[in-house]
Amino acid sequence: METELDGEQAGEVVVVGGGVIGLTTAVVLAERGRRVRVWTREPAERTTSVVAGGLWWPYRIEPVALAHAWALRSLDVYEELAARPEQTGVRMLEGVLGETGLDEVDGWAAARLPGLRAASAAEYAGTGLWARLPLIDMSTHLPWLRERLLAAGGTVEDRAVTDLAEADAPVVVNCTGLGARDLVPDAAVRPVRGQLVVVENPGIDNWLVSADADSGETTYFLPQPGRLLLGGTAEEDAWSTEPDPEVAEAIVRRCAALRPEIAGARVLAHLVGLRPARDAVRLERGALPDGRLLVHNYGHGGAGVTVAWGCAQEAARLAS
């Protein structure tokens, strides 16, 4: 017969990785009654997740059909969290998705996004979609996730891991993002470098994302509390986390072409993050060499925030 101690151990989970995917997964597990410990190489405030612009939209993530389903599950959660933006960092904010038509969202998101419409010529010089989407301030959201985990009985430990087998629990969930390249190892995980410029907000209330069909460059500005985030870049297989001054100047120039008042905004900071891209998100069960259950949840590209809750729910199911 199973002893009380064995029963406690059977409910234990170690989540490796403390970014938005790891913390969200840990929260879902803990709130479903599991004893959860998060092992993270760095505090959440120093992970790639904190550099994310935070706009809910499935960007650079495969497979598309599953990403849409995970995104919609996450949307349900973010809409609830937006009722407490000061605490959660989540707001519902209107803006324009450039180079996007209604037909592109009709099959998966249109029914869930009230007010979705074609952008007027005054709102965007080109084909665009006016939408009200979650915009997440990661500097607030990540600490809030950690506190929610602690309130559910979970713990967070700053601990570097060189082998997933080091985790001393019956169930291990791998949410290491780009770190999975060496830790699993999985050579399919690769960096897509993103650079942002943080400026004082000159009075912009709505976000905008624009894509250049010729160059493939994506330009965006996202109003976050007390600042405006300008982007961006998507450099494949680029590992440098040092901001490039020329790239920063180009980002400001492109954003100012869309909103001239950005040109004179005072620069507050430069940010660089490495998106953990993969040909497809790896969200599946596996096993450690000693037979313990291993759940992989990584490779979310530029959409980790967008799909975090949907993937966390699926990872929790796989971990049961």
Side-chain angles (χ1 to χ4, degrees):
M1 180 179 292
E2 186 178 64
T3 66
E4 182 179 353
L5 180 59
D6 291 335
E8 288 181 359
Q9 291 175 333
E12 285 186 348
V13 182
V14 167
V15 175
V16 184
V20 68
I21 294 294
L23 285 177
T24 307
T25 299
V27 165
V28 171
L29 285 163
E31 292 182 350
R32 293 185 180 185
R34 307 297 291 268
R35 297 179 64 243
V36 181
R37 289 175 284 150
V38 172
W39 287 6
T40 179
R41 183 177 56 190
E42 297 178 308
E45 292 83 353
R46 292 208 298 266
T47 63
T48 296
S49 297
V50 80
V51 183
L55 181 67
W56 180 92
W57 195 255
Y59 172 70
R60 297 184 73 96
I61 183 170
E62 297 284 346
V64 172
L66 283 175
H68 286 169
W70 296 326
L72 290 176
R73 289 187 203 168
S74 301
L75 178 62
D76 291 337
V77 179
Y78 288 133
E79 286 176 333
E80 294 178 8
L81 298 182
R84 294 169 287 130
E86 294 81 8
Q87 293 174 273
T88 66
V90 182
R91 295 173 296 147
M92 299 298 296
L93 202 64
E94 294 178 321
V96 175
L97 290 164
E99 290 66 52
T100 306
L102 280 167
D103 57 322
E104 296 178 57
V105 297
D106 193 42
W108 73 277
R112 284 288 288 106
L113 298 172
L116 203 65
R117 60 171 174 79
S120 68
E123 292 164 341
Y124 189 68
T127 300
L129 201 58
W130 183 266
R132 187 170 183 265
L133 304 179
L135 182 60
I136 297 96
D137 175 11
M138 299 306 290
S139 66
T140 297
H141 189 62
L142 290 170
W144 174 82
L145 279 173
R146 183 174 55 219
E147 291 306 311
R148 179 165 168 174
L149 171 63
L150 297 177
T155 61
V156 179
E157 181 179 343
D158 293 342
R159 178 166 177 167
V161 175
T162 58
D163 190 323
L164 291 170
E166 295 173 19
D168 56 345
V171 179
V172 179
V173 185
N174 172 25
C175 300
T176 55
L178 193 57
R181 181 180 177 90
D182 296 323
L183 194 58
V184 173
D186 184 352
V189 186
R190 64 192 192 283
V192 176
R193 183 180 184 276
Q195 181 167 331
L196 293 83
V197 182
V198 185
V199 301
E200 286 186 342
N201 192 336
I204 293 174
D205 297 323
N206 303 114
W207 52 266
L208 186 144
V209 179
S210 176
D212 188 300
D214 295 326
S215 67
E217 289 180 323
T218 299
T219 301
Y220 57 84
F221 49 81
L222 308 170
Q224 295 286 13
R227 64 200 191 281
L228 185 68
L229 303 185
L230 310 180
T233 63
E235 301 172 70
E236 305 275 352
D237 301 307
W239 286 90
S240 173
T241 56
E242 290 298 316
D244 184 321
E246 292 185 2
V247 170
E249 290 175 6
I251 288 172
V252 174
R253 189 165 54 247
R254 298 200 314 267
C255 289
L258 297 168
R259 289 292 293 266
E261 60 267 44
I262 289 174
R266 184 167 71 93
V267 174
L268 302 176
H270 297 276
L271 304 175
V272 174
L274 304 181
R275 304 176 183 95
R278 197 173 183 272
D279 54 357
V281 172
R282 190 175 187 187
L283 183 49
E284 63 187 26
R285 289 168 67 113
L288 292 165
D290 60 5
R292 287 178 294 145
L293 177 60
L294 173 64
V295 176
H296 291 294
N297 184 13
Y298 66 86
H300 302 85
V305 179
T306 298
V307 301
W309 290 93
C311 288
Q313 292 164 9
E314 177 62 13
R317 185 188 70 79
L318 294 172
S320 65

